[in-house]
């Protein structure tokens, strides 16, 4: 992950962090990365492991990364328990996120420090979140947005030495009911004092112009989940609804192709290719 984040910083762009839930999603994302010759991050959130168990996903994700022709980091998104964080690192994830954003500031710092100490033993990097991103990741309760406080962000990064920081600037997980008004003024304040690479969650539905502006203000990792899951589901629907006898061997590449197209589209925006 450090390599991918450094690449993004050096090139004034953002690495796409693409959520995956099955083999086809992994294949589609890696194909897009290789074709555009761009490093990416494959990630899965703890809450998604009900549908896509870690013991099945992790070996596929790690193997895909090892065999890719471009650097691919493998990341635990929205880790909620130390148990899951340890398991992901043991499987070879290069990066983990602890989401303690709903805890009070001091507790968020304490939990993040504990995860950082654990990850350091294996050379894995750590993402934390400060402020509250709206919507939900998985089927946990929906959250009201609470923008990251720039002063607290500086204290948080100094105290935890975290490798990247997810900020809340009006962004939310899932499909936005209306185009969000991202608080670039808040992001700018954070970017002025915080040297840690910044992460934007809730990438689905954000416009090209907004991505470009966010990248110009220090965003180095952008999470995309819903757009890929929707692309896959719609491809499956379009195929199966038109076939009298749908077959898996035709369906599988169609699902991978839909994710590939979505990932490629986002990579182009994030890297200005
Ligand atoms: P979206 O589902 O809105 O793309 O958000 C992805 C995300 O932030 C995962 O953590």
């Amino acid at each position: 992950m450090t390599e991918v984040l450094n690449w993004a910083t050096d090139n004034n762009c953002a690495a796409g962090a693409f959520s995956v839930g099955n083999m086809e999603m992994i294949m589609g994302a890696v194909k897009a990365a290789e074709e555009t010759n761009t490093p990416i991050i494959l990630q899965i959130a703890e809450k998604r492991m009900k549908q896509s168990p870690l013991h099945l996903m992790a070996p596929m994700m790690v193997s895909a990364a090892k065999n890719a022709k471009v650097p691919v980091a493998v990341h635990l998104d929205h880790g909620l328990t130390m148990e899951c964080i340890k398991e992901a690192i043991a499987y070879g994830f290069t990066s983990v996120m602890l989401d303690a954003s709903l805890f009070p500031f001091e507790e968020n710092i304490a939990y993040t420090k504990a995860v950082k100490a654990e990850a350091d033993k294996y050379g894995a990097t750590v993402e934390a979140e400060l402020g509250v991103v709206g919507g939900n990741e998985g089927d946990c309760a929906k959250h009201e947005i609470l923008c990251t406080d720039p002063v607290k962000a500086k204290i948080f990064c100094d105290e935890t030495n975290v490798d990247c920081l997810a900020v809340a600037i009006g962004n939310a997980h899932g499909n936005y009911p209306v185009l969000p008004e991202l608080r670039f003024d808040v992001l700018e304040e954070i970017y002025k004092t915080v040297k840690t690479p910044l992460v934007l969650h809730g990438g689905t539905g954000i416009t090209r112009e907004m991505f470009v502006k966010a990248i110009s203000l220090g965003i180095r990792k952008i999470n995309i989940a819903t757009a890929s899951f929707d692309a896959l589901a719609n491809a499956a629907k379009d195929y199966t609804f038109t076939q009298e006898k749908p077959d898996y061997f035709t369906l599988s590449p169609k699902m991978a192709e839909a994710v590939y197209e979505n990932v490629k589209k986002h990579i182009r925006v994030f890297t200005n290719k």
Side-chain angles (χ1 to χ4, degrees), residues 17 19 43 45 48 77-78 97 127 129 133-134 136-137 171-176 199-206 221-229 266:
S19 297
Q43 64 180 20
R48 295 291 180 205
D77 187 30
H78 291 282
M97 175 191 187
E127 174 180 338
E129 179 173 318
V133 171
N136 62 24
E137 175 51 61
N171 46 322
H173 295 112
N175 288 306
Y176 292 96
V199 182
L200 184 69
H201 282 235
T204 296
I206 289 181
K221 169 177 181 276
I222 301 178
N223 288 6
I224 300 290
T226 305
S228 287
F229 287 110
H266 284 95

PDB file of all heavy atoms in Angstrom, residues 17 19 43 45 48 77-78 97 127 129 133-134 136-137 171-176 199-206 221-229 266, ligand 1:
ATOM      1  N   ALA A  17      -9.427   2.469  -5.077  1.00  0.00           N
ATOM      2  CA  ALA A  17      -9.556   1.319  -4.175  1.00  0.00           C
ATOM      3  C   ALA A  17     -10.908   0.692  -4.484  1.00  0.00           C
ATOM      4  O   ALA A  17     -11.961   1.263  -4.174  1.00  0.00           O
ATOM      5  CB  ALA A  17      -9.471   1.762  -2.725  1.00  0.00           C
ATOM      6  N   SER A  19     -13.744  -2.140  -4.326  1.00  0.00           N
ATOM      7  CA  SER A  19     -14.295  -3.209  -3.493  1.00  0.00           C
ATOM      8  C   SER A  19     -14.666  -4.390  -4.374  1.00  0.00           C
ATOM      9  O   SER A  19     -15.181  -4.217  -5.484  1.00  0.00           O
ATOM     10  CB  SER A  19     -15.530  -2.708  -2.748  1.00  0.00           C
ATOM     11  OG  SER A  19     -15.158  -1.659  -1.884  1.00  0.00           O
ATOM     12  N   GLN A  43     -10.067  -4.224  -2.348  1.00  0.00           N
ATOM     13  CA  GLN A  43     -10.450  -4.185  -0.942  1.00  0.00           C
ATOM     14  C   GLN A  43     -11.783  -4.866  -0.681  1.00  0.00           C
ATOM     15  O   GLN A  43     -12.608  -5.038  -1.579  1.00  0.00           O
ATOM     16  CB  GLN A  43     -10.481  -2.731  -0.438  1.00  0.00           C
ATOM     17  CG  GLN A  43     -11.513  -1.854  -1.107  1.00  0.00           C
ATOM     18  CD  GLN A  43     -11.498  -0.421  -0.578  1.00  0.00           C
ATOM     19  OE1 GLN A  43     -10.524   0.026   0.010  1.00  0.00           O
ATOM     20  NE2 GLN A  43     -12.581   0.294  -0.777  1.00  0.00           N
ATOM     21  N   ALA A  45     -14.758  -4.984   2.697  1.00  0.00           N
ATOM     22  CA  ALA A  45     -15.129  -4.479   4.026  1.00  0.00           C
ATOM     23  C   ALA A  45     -15.566  -5.644   4.917  1.00  0.00           C
ATOM     24  O   ALA A  45     -16.147  -6.626   4.432  1.00  0.00           O
ATOM     25  CB  ALA A  45     -16.260  -3.466   3.902  1.00  0.00           C
ATOM     26  N   ARG A  48     -19.013  -6.981   4.614  1.00  0.00           N
ATOM     27  CA  ARG A  48     -19.371  -7.709   3.389  1.00  0.00           C
ATOM     28  C   ARG A  48     -19.027  -9.193   3.469  1.00  0.00           C
ATOM     29  O   ARG A  48     -19.319  -9.941   2.539  1.00  0.00           O
ATOM     30  CB  ARG A  48     -18.639  -7.098   2.185  1.00  0.00           C
ATOM     31  CG  ARG A  48     -19.049  -5.685   1.866  1.00  0.00           C
ATOM     32  CD  ARG A  48     -20.462  -5.627   1.332  1.00  0.00           C
ATOM     33  NE  ARG A  48     -20.856  -4.256   1.026  1.00  0.00           N
ATOM     34  CZ  ARG A  48     -22.117  -3.842   1.020  1.00  0.00           C
ATOM     35  NH1 ARG A  48     -23.092  -4.673   1.311  1.00  0.00           N
ATOM     36  NH2 ARG A  48     -22.401  -2.590   0.711  1.00  0.00           N
ATOM     37  N   ASP A  77     -11.138  -3.053   4.192  1.00  0.00           N
ATOM     38  CA  ASP A  77     -11.888  -1.804   4.281  1.00  0.00           C
ATOM     39  C   ASP A  77     -12.817  -1.878   5.509  1.00  0.00           C
ATOM     40  O   ASP A  77     -13.420  -2.927   5.780  1.00  0.00           O
ATOM     41  CB  ASP A  77     -12.704  -1.680   2.976  1.00  0.00           C
ATOM     42  CG  ASP A  77     -13.403  -0.352   2.825  1.00  0.00           C
ATOM     43  OD1 ASP A  77     -12.885   0.655   3.330  1.00  0.00           O
ATOM     44  OD2 ASP A  77     -14.471  -0.324   2.164  1.00  0.00           O
ATOM     45  N   HIS A  78     -12.948  -0.793   6.226  1.00  0.00           N
ATOM     46  CA  HIS A  78     -13.861  -0.730   7.383  1.00  0.00           C
ATOM     47  C   HIS A  78     -13.757  -1.943   8.305  1.00  0.00           C
ATOM     48  O   HIS A  78     -14.764  -2.603   8.605  1.00  0.00           O
ATOM     49  CB  HIS A  78     -15.314  -0.560   6.928  1.00  0.00           C
ATOM     50  CG  HIS A  78     -15.579   0.772   6.317  1.00  0.00           C
ATOM     51  ND1 HIS A  78     -15.754   1.923   7.041  1.00  0.00           N
ATOM     52  CD2 HIS A  78     -15.651   1.142   5.018  1.00  0.00           C
ATOM     53  CE1 HIS A  78     -15.939   2.939   6.227  1.00  0.00           C
ATOM     54  NE2 HIS A  78     -15.864   2.503   4.987  1.00  0.00           N
ATOM     55  N   MET A  97      -7.801  -1.179   7.461  1.00  0.00           N
ATOM     56  CA  MET A  97      -8.450   0.018   7.996  1.00  0.00           C
ATOM     57  C   MET A  97      -9.192  -0.365   9.266  1.00  0.00           C
ATOM     58  O   MET A  97      -9.923  -1.355   9.288  1.00  0.00           O
ATOM     59  CB  MET A  97      -9.468   0.583   7.006  1.00  0.00           C
ATOM     60  CG  MET A  97     -10.244   1.750   7.579  1.00  0.00           C
ATOM     61  SD  MET A  97     -11.658   2.209   6.560  1.00  0.00           S
ATOM     62  CE  MET A  97     -12.184   3.690   7.411  1.00  0.00           C
ATOM     63  N   GLU A 127      -5.077   2.500   7.654  1.00  0.00           N
ATOM     64  CA  GLU A 127      -5.951   3.640   7.351  1.00  0.00           C
ATOM     65  C   GLU A 127      -6.911   3.820   8.525  1.00  0.00           C
ATOM     66  O   GLU A 127      -7.386   2.831   9.098  1.00  0.00           O
ATOM     67  CB  GLU A 127      -6.755   3.344   6.073  1.00  0.00           C
ATOM     68  CG  GLU A 127      -7.802   4.410   5.732  1.00  0.00           C
ATOM     69  CD  GLU A 127      -8.584   4.087   4.447  1.00  0.00           C
ATOM     70  OE1 GLU A 127      -8.078   3.306   3.593  1.00  0.00           O
ATOM     71  OE2 GLU A 127      -9.705   4.601   4.305  1.00  0.00           O
ATOM     72  N   GLU A 129     -10.246   6.547  10.100  1.00  0.00           N
ATOM     73  CA  GLU A 129     -11.249   7.530   9.651  1.00  0.00           C
ATOM     74  C   GLU A 129     -11.534   8.497  10.785  1.00  0.00           C
ATOM     75  O   GLU A 129     -11.695   8.091  11.939  1.00  0.00           O
ATOM     76  CB  GLU A 129     -12.531   6.798   9.241  1.00  0.00           C
ATOM     77  CG  GLU A 129     -13.652   7.738   8.781  1.00  0.00           C
ATOM     78  CD  GLU A 129     -14.850   6.968   8.224  1.00  0.00           C
ATOM     79  OE1 GLU A 129     -14.653   5.984   7.480  1.00  0.00           O
ATOM     80  OE2 GLU A 129     -15.991   7.348   8.557  1.00  0.00           O
ATOM     81  N   VAL A 133     -18.386   9.528   7.740  1.00  0.00           N
ATOM     82  CA  VAL A 133     -18.874   9.447   6.360  1.00  0.00           C
ATOM     83  C   VAL A 133     -20.322   8.985   6.429  1.00  0.00           C
ATOM     84  O   VAL A 133     -20.662   8.114   7.236  1.00  0.00           O
ATOM     85  CB  VAL A 133     -18.003   8.435   5.553  1.00  0.00           C
ATOM     86  CG1 VAL A 133     -18.595   8.163   4.186  1.00  0.00           C
ATOM     87  CG2 VAL A 133     -16.572   8.958   5.436  1.00  0.00           C
ATOM     88  N   GLY A 134     -21.180   9.541   5.592  1.00  0.00           N
ATOM     89  CA  GLY A 134     -22.600   9.199   5.667  1.00  0.00           C
ATOM     90  C   GLY A 134     -22.917   7.842   5.063  1.00  0.00           C
ATOM     91  O   GLY A 134     -22.042   7.146   4.562  1.00  0.00           O
ATOM     92  N   ASN A 136     -23.970   3.901   4.730  1.00  0.00           N
ATOM     93  CA  ASN A 136     -23.436   2.755   5.459  1.00  0.00           C
ATOM     94  C   ASN A 136     -22.572   1.915   4.541  1.00  0.00           C
ATOM     95  O   ASN A 136     -22.636   1.994   3.337  1.00  0.00           O
ATOM     96  CB  ASN A 136     -24.556   1.916   6.066  1.00  0.00           C
ATOM     97  CG  ASN A 136     -25.466   1.347   4.999  1.00  0.00           C
ATOM     98  OD1 ASN A 136     -25.068   1.191   3.853  1.00  0.00           O
ATOM     99  ND2 ASN A 136     -26.680   1.043   5.376  1.00  0.00           N
ATOM    100  N   GLU A 137     -21.710   1.110   5.148  1.00  0.00           N
ATOM    101  CA  GLU A 137     -20.895   0.160   4.395  1.00  0.00           C
ATOM    102  C   GLU A 137     -21.307  -1.202   4.919  1.00  0.00           C
ATOM    103  O   GLU A 137     -21.032  -1.549   6.040  1.00  0.00           O
ATOM    104  CB  GLU A 137     -19.410   0.442   4.629  1.00  0.00           C
ATOM    105  CG  GLU A 137     -18.466  -0.561   3.980  1.00  0.00           C
ATOM    106  CD  GLU A 137     -18.763  -0.779   2.512  1.00  0.00           C
ATOM    107  OE1 GLU A 137     -18.684   0.177   1.725  1.00  0.00           O
ATOM    108  OE2 GLU A 137     -19.090  -1.928   2.158  1.00  0.00           O
ATOM    109  N   ASN A 171     -19.286  13.470   2.019  1.00  0.00           N
ATOM    110  CA  ASN A 171     -19.382  12.243   1.202  1.00  0.00           C
ATOM    111  C   ASN A 171     -20.159  11.164   1.961  1.00  0.00           C
ATOM    112  O   ASN A 171     -20.251  11.207   3.186  1.00  0.00           O
ATOM    113  CB  ASN A 171     -17.978  11.750   0.835  1.00  0.00           C
ATOM    114  CG  ASN A 171     -17.005  11.744   2.010  1.00  0.00           C
ATOM    115  OD1 ASN A 171     -17.026  12.647   2.850  1.00  0.00           O
ATOM    116  ND2 ASN A 171     -16.169  10.735   2.085  1.00  0.00           N
ATOM    117  N   ALA A 172     -20.702  10.207   1.213  1.00  0.00           N
ATOM    118  CA  ALA A 172     -21.476   9.138   1.840  1.00  0.00           C
ATOM    119  C   ALA A 172     -21.368   7.867   1.009  1.00  0.00           C
ATOM    120  O   ALA A 172     -21.186   7.918  -0.211  1.00  0.00           O
ATOM    121  CB  ALA A 172     -22.944   9.545   1.969  1.00  0.00           C
ATOM    122  N   HIS A 173     -21.514   6.727   1.673  1.00  0.00           N
ATOM    123  CA  HIS A 173     -21.499   5.443   0.966  1.00  0.00           C
ATOM    124  C   HIS A 173     -22.832   5.219   0.252  1.00  0.00           C
ATOM    125  O   HIS A 173     -23.873   5.677   0.709  1.00  0.00           O
ATOM    126  CB  HIS A 173     -21.286   4.291   1.964  1.00  0.00           C
ATOM    127  CG  HIS A 173     -19.948   4.335   2.645  1.00  0.00           C
ATOM    128  ND1 HIS A 173     -19.799   4.594   3.975  1.00  0.00           N
ATOM    129  CD2 HIS A 173     -18.699   4.152   2.160  1.00  0.00           C
ATOM    130  CE1 HIS A 173     -18.508   4.553   4.289  1.00  0.00           C
ATOM    131  NE2 HIS A 173     -17.820   4.304   3.213  1.00  0.00           N
ATOM    132  N   GLY A 174     -22.796   4.494  -0.852  1.00  0.00           N
ATOM    133  CA  GLY A 174     -24.030   4.153  -1.566  1.00  0.00           C
ATOM    134  C   GLY A 174     -24.342   5.175  -2.640  1.00  0.00           C
ATOM    135  O   GLY A 174     -23.574   6.111  -2.871  1.00  0.00           O
ATOM    136  N   ASN A 175     -25.492   4.979  -3.317  1.00  0.00           N
ATOM    137  CA  ASN A 175     -25.888   5.933  -4.362  1.00  0.00           C
ATOM    138  C   ASN A 175     -26.437   7.196  -3.706  1.00  0.00           C
ATOM    139  O   ASN A 175     -27.311   7.127  -2.846  1.00  0.00           O
ATOM    140  CB  ASN A 175     -26.955   5.300  -5.264  1.00  0.00           C
ATOM    141  CG  ASN A 175     -26.353   4.228  -6.168  1.00  0.00           C
ATOM    142  OD1 ASN A 175     -25.389   4.479  -6.903  1.00  0.00           O
ATOM    143  ND2 ASN A 175     -26.902   3.034  -6.113  1.00  0.00           N
ATOM    144  N   TYR A 176     -25.922   8.357  -4.107  1.00  0.00           N
ATOM    145  CA  TYR A 176     -26.405   9.631  -3.546  1.00  0.00           C
ATOM    146  C   TYR A 176     -27.804   9.912  -4.089  1.00  0.00           C
ATOM    147  O   TYR A 176     -28.023   9.822  -5.296  1.00  0.00           O
ATOM    148  CB  TYR A 176     -25.479  10.782  -3.954  1.00  0.00           C
ATOM    149  CG  TYR A 176     -24.103  10.713  -3.339  1.00  0.00           C
ATOM    150  CD1 TYR A 176     -23.036  10.155  -4.030  1.00  0.00           C
ATOM    151  CD2 TYR A 176     -23.864  11.195  -2.056  1.00  0.00           C
ATOM    152  CE1 TYR A 176     -21.773  10.076  -3.472  1.00  0.00           C
ATOM    153  CE2 TYR A 176     -22.603  11.124  -1.479  1.00  0.00           C
ATOM    154  CZ  TYR A 176     -21.554  10.557  -2.199  1.00  0.00           C
ATOM    155  OH  TYR A 176     -20.310  10.480  -1.632  1.00  0.00           O
ATOM    156  N   VAL A 199      -7.906  10.045   2.172  1.00  0.00           N
ATOM    157  CA  VAL A 199      -8.742   9.049   1.489  1.00  0.00           C
ATOM    158  C   VAL A 199     -10.170   9.576   1.379  1.00  0.00           C
ATOM    159  O   VAL A 199     -10.707  10.130   2.341  1.00  0.00           O
ATOM    160  CB  VAL A 199      -8.756   7.711   2.276  1.00  0.00           C
ATOM    161  CG1 VAL A 199      -9.573   6.655   1.544  1.00  0.00           C
ATOM    162  CG2 VAL A 199      -7.335   7.223   2.537  1.00  0.00           C
ATOM    163  N   LEU A 200     -10.764   9.364   0.195  1.00  0.00           N
ATOM    164  CA  LEU A 200     -12.160   9.746  -0.002  1.00  0.00           C
ATOM    165  C   LEU A 200     -13.007   8.481  -0.133  1.00  0.00           C
ATOM    166  O   LEU A 200     -12.830   7.706  -1.081  1.00  0.00           O
ATOM    167  CB  LEU A 200     -12.299  10.605  -1.272  1.00  0.00           C
ATOM    168  CG  LEU A 200     -13.696  11.163  -1.543  1.00  0.00           C
ATOM    169  CD1 LEU A 200     -14.073  12.238  -0.519  1.00  0.00           C
ATOM    170  CD2 LEU A 200     -13.804  11.726  -2.952  1.00  0.00           C
ATOM    171  N   HIS A 201     -13.903   8.290   0.808  1.00  0.00           N
ATOM    172  CA  HIS A 201     -14.854   7.174   0.723  1.00  0.00           C
ATOM    173  C   HIS A 201     -16.089   7.648  -0.035  1.00  0.00           C
ATOM    174  O   HIS A 201     -16.270   8.842  -0.273  1.00  0.00           O
ATOM    175  CB  HIS A 201     -15.263   6.719   2.131  1.00  0.00           C
ATOM    176  CG  HIS A 201     -14.227   5.875   2.810  1.00  0.00           C
ATOM    177  ND1 HIS A 201     -14.488   4.622   3.312  1.00  0.00           N
ATOM    178  CD2 HIS A 201     -12.908   6.099   3.053  1.00  0.00           C
ATOM    179  CE1 HIS A 201     -13.388   4.109   3.840  1.00  0.00           C
ATOM    180  NE2 HIS A 201     -12.416   4.990   3.707  1.00  0.00           N
ATOM    181  N   GLY A 202     -16.954   6.684  -0.386  1.00  0.00           N
ATOM    182  CA  GLY A 202     -18.218   7.053  -1.027  1.00  0.00           C
ATOM    183  C   GLY A 202     -18.029   7.614  -2.424  1.00  0.00           C
ATOM    184  O   GLY A 202     -18.669   8.602  -2.804  1.00  0.00           O
ATOM    185  N   GLY A 203     -17.152   6.975  -3.210  1.00  0.00           N
ATOM    186  CA  GLY A 203     -16.840   7.511  -4.540  1.00  0.00           C
ATOM    187  C   GLY A 203     -17.951   7.372  -5.562  1.00  0.00           C
ATOM    188  O   GLY A 203     -18.015   8.153  -6.524  1.00  0.00           O
ATOM    189  N   THR A 204     -18.856   6.419  -5.380  1.00  0.00           N
ATOM    190  CA  THR A 204     -19.918   6.212  -6.370  1.00  0.00           C
ATOM    191  C   THR A 204     -20.798   7.451  -6.495  1.00  0.00           C
ATOM    192  O   THR A 204     -21.327   7.938  -5.489  1.00  0.00           O
ATOM    193  CB  THR A 204     -20.787   4.991  -5.965  1.00  0.00           C
ATOM    194  OG1 THR A 204     -19.958   3.831  -5.997  1.00  0.00           O
ATOM    195  CG2 THR A 204     -21.972   4.810  -6.912  1.00  0.00           C
ATOM    196  N   GLY A 205     -20.933   7.938  -7.717  1.00  0.00           N
ATOM    197  CA  GLY A 205     -21.846   9.066  -7.968  1.00  0.00           C
ATOM    198  C   GLY A 205     -21.198  10.429  -7.903  1.00  0.00           C
ATOM    199  O   GLY A 205     -21.839  11.439  -8.172  1.00  0.00           O
ATOM    200  N   ILE A 206     -19.913  10.485  -7.540  1.00  0.00           N
ATOM    201  CA  ILE A 206     -19.227  11.785  -7.505  1.00  0.00           C
ATOM    202  C   ILE A 206     -18.773  12.125  -8.929  1.00  0.00           C
ATOM    203  O   ILE A 206     -18.354  11.237  -9.687  1.00  0.00           O
ATOM    204  CB  ILE A 206     -18.055  11.716  -6.493  1.00  0.00           C
ATOM    205  CG1 ILE A 206     -18.647  11.669  -5.080  1.00  0.00           C
ATOM    206  CG2 ILE A 206     -17.111  12.893  -6.650  1.00  0.00           C
ATOM    207  CD1 ILE A 206     -17.643  11.618  -3.967  1.00  0.00           C
ATOM    208  N   LYS A 221      -6.354   8.295  -2.270  1.00  0.00           N
ATOM    209  CA  LYS A 221      -7.007   6.977  -2.399  1.00  0.00           C
ATOM    210  C   LYS A 221      -8.498   7.259  -2.466  1.00  0.00           C
ATOM    211  O   LYS A 221      -9.022   8.021  -1.636  1.00  0.00           O
ATOM    212  CB  LYS A 221      -6.658   6.105  -1.183  1.00  0.00           C
ATOM    213  CG  LYS A 221      -7.455   4.803  -1.036  1.00  0.00           C
ATOM    214  CD  LYS A 221      -6.970   3.995   0.179  1.00  0.00           C
ATOM    215  CE  LYS A 221      -7.727   2.683   0.349  1.00  0.00           C
ATOM    216  NZ  LYS A 221      -9.002   2.797   1.074  1.00  0.00           N
ATOM    217  N   ILE A 222      -9.154   6.675  -3.469  1.00  0.00           N
ATOM    218  CA  ILE A 222     -10.604   6.888  -3.602  1.00  0.00           C
ATOM    219  C   ILE A 222     -11.308   5.534  -3.642  1.00  0.00           C
ATOM    220  O   ILE A 222     -10.967   4.665  -4.449  1.00  0.00           O
ATOM    221  CB  ILE A 222     -10.939   7.705  -4.870  1.00  0.00           C
ATOM    222  CG1 ILE A 222     -10.239   9.065  -4.826  1.00  0.00           C
ATOM    223  CG2 ILE A 222     -12.462   7.873  -4.996  1.00  0.00           C
ATOM    224  CD1 ILE A 222     -10.462   9.933  -6.065  1.00  0.00           C
ATOM    225  N   ASN A 223     -12.286   5.365  -2.757  1.00  0.00           N
ATOM    226  CA  ASN A 223     -13.004   4.090  -2.657  1.00  0.00           C
ATOM    227  C   ASN A 223     -14.222   4.059  -3.584  1.00  0.00           C
ATOM    228  O   ASN A 223     -15.061   4.975  -3.553  1.00  0.00           O
ATOM    229  CB  ASN A 223     -13.519   3.900  -1.225  1.00  0.00           C
ATOM    230  CG  ASN A 223     -12.408   3.599  -0.244  1.00  0.00           C
ATOM    231  OD1 ASN A 223     -11.234   3.644  -0.587  1.00  0.00           O
ATOM    232  ND2 ASN A 223     -12.789   3.283   0.985  1.00  0.00           N
ATOM    233  N   ILE A 224     -14.307   2.974  -4.331  1.00  0.00           N
ATOM    234  CA  ILE A 224     -15.468   2.750  -5.200  1.00  0.00           C
ATOM    235  C   ILE A 224     -16.027   1.360  -4.899  1.00  0.00           C
ATOM    236  O   ILE A 224     -15.329   0.358  -5.081  1.00  0.00           O
ATOM    237  CB  ILE A 224     -15.077   2.801  -6.703  1.00  0.00           C
ATOM    238  CG1 ILE A 224     -14.472   4.159  -7.091  1.00  0.00           C
ATOM    239  CG2 ILE A 224     -16.274   2.456  -7.595  1.00  0.00           C
ATOM    240  CD1 ILE A 224     -15.434   5.322  -7.116  1.00  0.00           C
ATOM    241  N   ALA A 225     -17.264   1.293  -4.465  1.00  0.00           N
ATOM    242  CA  ALA A 225     -17.881  -0.012  -4.191  1.00  0.00           C
ATOM    243  C   ALA A 225     -19.203  -0.154  -4.951  1.00  0.00           C
ATOM    244  O   ALA A 225     -19.327  -0.976  -5.869  1.00  0.00           O
ATOM    245  CB  ALA A 225     -18.112  -0.194  -2.684  1.00  0.00           C
ATOM    246  N   THR A 226     -20.191   0.673  -4.592  1.00  0.00           N
ATOM    247  CA  THR A 226     -21.549   0.498  -5.125  1.00  0.00           C
ATOM    248  C   THR A 226     -21.575   0.465  -6.650  1.00  0.00           C
ATOM    249  O   THR A 226     -22.286  -0.364  -7.241  1.00  0.00           O
ATOM    250  CB  THR A 226     -22.456   1.640  -4.602  1.00  0.00           C
ATOM    251  OG1 THR A 226     -22.375   1.649  -3.176  1.00  0.00           O
ATOM    252  CG2 THR A 226     -23.902   1.439  -5.024  1.00  0.00           C
ATOM    253  N   ALA A 227     -20.800   1.320  -7.303  1.00  0.00           N
ATOM    254  CA  ALA A 227     -20.838   1.383  -8.774  1.00  0.00           C
ATOM    255  C   ALA A 227     -20.415   0.047  -9.384  1.00  0.00           C
ATOM    256  O   ALA A 227     -20.979  -0.382 -10.395  1.00  0.00           O
ATOM    257  CB  ALA A 227     -19.930   2.507  -9.281  1.00  0.00           C
ATOM    258  N   SER A 228     -19.443  -0.638  -8.761  1.00  0.00           N
ATOM    259  CA  SER A 228     -19.010  -1.938  -9.298  1.00  0.00           C
ATOM    260  C   SER A 228     -20.041  -3.025  -9.010  1.00  0.00           C
ATOM    261  O   SER A 228     -20.339  -3.853  -9.871  1.00  0.00           O
ATOM    262  CB  SER A 228     -17.658  -2.344  -8.697  1.00  0.00           C
ATOM    263  OG  SER A 228     -16.616  -1.572  -9.238  1.00  0.00           O
ATOM    264  N   PHE A 229     -20.591  -3.018  -7.788  1.00  0.00           N
ATOM    265  CA  PHE A 229     -21.615  -4.028  -7.466  1.00  0.00           C
ATOM    266  C   PHE A 229     -22.847  -3.851  -8.367  1.00  0.00           C
ATOM    267  O   PHE A 229     -23.424  -4.822  -8.858  1.00  0.00           O
ATOM    268  CB  PHE A 229     -22.025  -3.944  -5.984  1.00  0.00           C
ATOM    269  CG  PHE A 229     -20.965  -4.482  -5.047  1.00  0.00           C
ATOM    270  CD1 PHE A 229     -20.243  -3.640  -4.222  1.00  0.00           C
ATOM    271  CD2 PHE A 229     -20.689  -5.841  -4.998  1.00  0.00           C
ATOM    272  CE1 PHE A 229     -19.263  -4.139  -3.363  1.00  0.00           C
ATOM    273  CE2 PHE A 229     -19.710  -6.358  -4.148  1.00  0.00           C
ATOM    274  CZ  PHE A 229     -18.993  -5.499  -3.328  1.00  0.00           C
ATOM    275  N   HIS A 266     -13.136   4.746 -13.841  1.00  0.00           N
ATOM    276  CA  HIS A 266     -12.679   5.491 -12.656  1.00  0.00           C
ATOM    277  C   HIS A 266     -11.166   5.689 -12.651  1.00  0.00           C
ATOM    278  O   HIS A 266     -10.692   6.762 -12.283  1.00  0.00           O
ATOM    279  CB  HIS A 266     -13.164   4.796 -11.375  1.00  0.00           C
ATOM    280  CG  HIS A 266     -14.615   5.042 -11.109  1.00  0.00           C
ATOM    281  ND1 HIS A 266     -15.600   4.168 -11.501  1.00  0.00           N
ATOM    282  CD2 HIS A 266     -15.249   6.101 -10.547  1.00  0.00           C
ATOM    283  CE1 HIS A 266     -16.774   4.673 -11.168  1.00  0.00           C
ATOM    284  NE2 HIS A 266     -16.601   5.837 -10.582  1.00  0.00           N
TER     285      HIS A 266
HETATM  286  P1  LIG B   1     -19.434   3.676  -2.528  1.00  0.00           P
HETATM  287  O1  LIG B   1     -20.182   2.404  -2.304  1.00  0.00           O
HETATM  288  O2  LIG B   1     -20.288   4.878  -2.380  1.00  0.00           O
HETATM  289  O3  LIG B   1     -18.681   3.667  -3.815  1.00  0.00           O
HETATM  290  O4  LIG B   1     -18.367   3.797  -1.349  1.00  0.00           O
HETATM  291  C1  LIG B   1     -17.300   2.932  -1.305  1.00  0.00           C
HETATM  292  C2  LIG B   1     -16.571   3.061  -0.032  1.00  0.00           C
HETATM  293  O5  LIG B   1     -16.302   4.136   0.443  1.00  0.00           O
HETATM  294  C3  LIG B   1     -16.157   1.823   0.617  1.00  0.00           C
HETATM  295  O6  LIG B   1     -15.546   2.062   1.849  1.00  0.00           O
END
